[in-house]
Amino acid sequence: MEFELQKKELVERLERVGYIKDTAIKSAMLKVKRELFVPKEYFTEAYTDTPLPIPGNATISAPHMHAISLSSLKLNPGEKVLEVGAGSGILLAYIKEIVGEKGKVFGIEIEKATYEYGKNCLQKASYWKKVKYVLGDGSQGLKQYAPFDKILVSAGCPKLPKPIKDQVKVGGIIAAVIGSPQGRQDFIYFEKISESKFKTKNLGGVIFVPLRGKFGWK
Ligand code: SAH
């Protein structure tokens, strides 16, 4: 009960300050239990607006960052969506709530300890069977399930990897963290307007773990 109240207060605050502008995002964030995606030792901070460490040197992002990520994708029911660097898996759960039964949600994570942690969280929260979460190098996208309507890259890339550009449909959106592990990172919106052209917009500075793998940082 206490968590329910804390969740409601957090979501309403995020709405008041403008991070949540969409009722579907609001309902998803009210529905998914963040306390099931944070490690036990941080249980009491589940609804504090801060990132928290998770196994494998990763973090579950702050709730306001989740709201920004979800907004940037302009999600619609029925869409097919991929998250690269899905960590705790919480965004997969939020996205599933938004795209609904007909939608398809995929996540990929490179770090085994983080993947196993995320798998367990998704199982506890009853989303494991509703999404497809795999272990692997997402800097190469997830070719066997491509193309996607939307792709979110939740780790800092040197530049947008070509396979990810190729695996989104024309008319689709990629939101990705671009920047160096030590220097500046920005959250960038890419709208695929033709096979080879993207319209881009910088959504602002962020702090994420670096993207590893073939198209990541060495
Ligand atoms: N949205 C997640 C964010 C996790 S942090 C959450 O809020 O829980 C970003 C994740 O990207 C880390 O777990 C890291 O291991 C992962 N990552 C880094 N490079 C990757 C790659 N090439 N493929 C897949 N995952 C990667």
Side-chain angles (χ1 to χ4, degrees):
M1 187 56 214
E2 202 195 334
F3 277 137
E4 282 302 304
L5 205 65
Q6 289 180 14
K7 180 164 59 179
K8 191 162 175 281
E9 276 175 14
L10 172 69
V11 169
E12 283 171 358
R13 181 151 34 85
L14 294 177
E15 187 178 30
R16 253 191 335 270
V17 297
Y19 287 118
I20 299 177
K21 297 188 193 80
D22 180 298
T23 52
I25 296 177
K26 184 178 178 185
S27 317
M29 292 189 77
L30 281 173
K31 176 135 191 226
V32 176
K33 295 178 187 301
R34 187 173 157 94
E35 66 269 27
L36 301 180
F37 292 85
V38 305
K40 276 216 166 52
E41 59 269 39
Y42 298 107
F43 226 49
T44 55
E45 288 186 71
Y47 293 100
T48 307
D49 192 15
T50 182
L52 294 167
I54 57 172
N57 275 327
T59 51
I60 171 169
S61 299
H64 78 271
M65 191 64 227
H66 285 148
I68 292 173
S69 299
L70 292 168
S71 305
S72 68
L73 294 173
K74 301 181 180 166
L75 296 164
N76 297 298
E79 286 182 335
K80 190 170 154 193
V81 187
L82 168 68
E83 185 189 14
V84 173
S88 67
I90 191 167
L91 273 171
L92 305 179
Y94 289 144
I95 294 168
K96 182 63 192 171
E97 285 300 324
I98 299 168
V99 299
E101 219 155 282
K102 294 216 173 89
K104 292 197 171 63
V105 184
F106 299 84
I108 182 163
E109 169 58 52
I110 201 167
E111 178 62 47
K112 184 139 200 300
T114 310
Y115 171 77
E116 293 298 339
Y117 173 81
K119 176 177 179 179
N120 188 255
C121 295
L122 286 166
Q123 284 170 336
K124 281 189 296 184
S126 305
Y127 285 94
W128 178 248
K129 290 185 179 149
K130 297 183 184 168
V131 302
K132 177 96 187 153
Y133 191 17
V134 302
L135 178 66
D137 176 13
S139 79
Q140 303 178 60
L142 193 55
K143 205 167 175 209
Q144 64 270 43
Y145 298 107
F148 301 95
D149 295 297
K150 311 283 165 73
I151 301 179
L152 174 66
V153 185
S154 296
C157 322
K159 62 175 198 169
L160 192 62
K162 181 159 189 318
I164 290 181
K165 285 184 178 172
D166 292 343
Q167 290 174 30
V168 81
K169 296 176 191 170
V170 172
I173 291 168
I174 303 169
V177 179
I178 310 284
S180 79
Q182 291 84 24
R184 190 183 165 82
Q185 288 180 332
D186 290 288
F187 194 51
I188 313 279
Y189 167 92
F190 299 86
E191 193 180 322
K192 190 164 178 173
I193 54 176
S194 74
E195 273 310 332
S196 59
K197 279 211 183 85
F198 286 84
K199 197 170 92 183
T200 69
K201 191 175 168 196
N202 190 333
L203 301 178
V206 289
I207 303 171
F208 273 80
V209 303
L211 185 81
R212 291 156 48 189
K214 188 170 176 192
F215 294 89
W217 297 93
K218 295 292 168 254

